[in-house]
Amino acid sequence: MLSKRSLLGLLFAFAMAGCAGGNAPVDAAGNPLEPLTIITATGEHDFMVEIADDDAERERGLMFRPALADDRGMLFQFPDAGERGFWMKDTPSSLDILYIDPAGRIVSIASHTTPFSQSIIPSNGAASGVLELRAGRAEEIGAKAGDRVKHPFFGS
């Protein structure tokens, strides 16, 4: 039988072990973030993104969330490339939606999407990744179809 002191020591050790492996960056809500870079004619633009890589995360997306900071985004990852369509249902802030092919090339950009809209916003080409940024951010960095996105999901 463990003494109270031994039990507290063990709990502390487990807590510290958990913290040691938890050096990955997180946002204010504790969501893990990964680096992503968009390469445009104006240079390299770095972002920290949340990853939505399962059905539940992709369905929820940025619904009911506050506006994104300039250096934040959400990267939706799909297991295959195909025509994609997103909507803004229950999303209170306008976004730029960048559709990205498996090689990391931007297929199309939907700028300044309408909050709460249930209209489908098509990719107009096969995409395996979709990046959501604060509305207007894509234009600010000069992002255009054909520009490259660097992230391990795209093999870069």
Side-chain angles (χ1 to χ4, degrees), residues 30-84:
N31 300 309
L33 299 170
E34 295 182 6
L36 175 144
T37 302
I38 301 174
I39 303 168
T40 72
T42 63
E44 294 191 6
H45 307 277
D46 297 324
F47 295 86
M48 294 300 290
V49 297
E50 285 181 61
I51 303 299
D53 60 0
D54 65 34
D55 289 340
E57 291 171 340
R58 287 189 293 258
E59 186 175 320
R60 185 175 48 257
L62 292 171
M63 290 179 168
F64 310 108
R65 303 268 294 269
L68 290 168
D70 287 353
D71 65 342
R72 295 289 192 261
M74 180 174 276
L75 177 63
F76 296 77
Q77 299 175 345
F78 293 90
D80 60 346
E83 181 68 30
R84 304 282 174 219

Side-chain angles (χ1 to χ4, degrees), residues 98-101 105-109 123-127 145-147:
L98 291 72
Y99 293 99
I100 308 162
D101 75 13
R105 296 282 176 194
I106 297 173
V107 174
S108 66
I109 300 173
S123 61
N124 299 311
D147 286 344

Side-chain angles (χ1 to χ4, degrees), residues 81-133:
E83 181 68 30
R84 304 282 174 219
F86 273 47
W87 65 357
M88 296 292 292
K89 182 179 188 290
D90 298 322
T91 306
S93 57
S94 183
L95 299 170
D96 287 348
I97 300 176
L98 291 72
Y99 293 99
I100 308 162
D101 75 13
R105 296 282 176 194
I106 297 173
V107 174
S108 66
I109 300 173
S111 299
H112 296 277
T113 57
T114 304
F116 300 108
S117 173
Q118 292 187 36
S119 296
I120 301 299
I121 304 162
S123 61
N124 299 311
S128 60
V130 180
L131 177 63
E132 293 183 339
L133 302 173

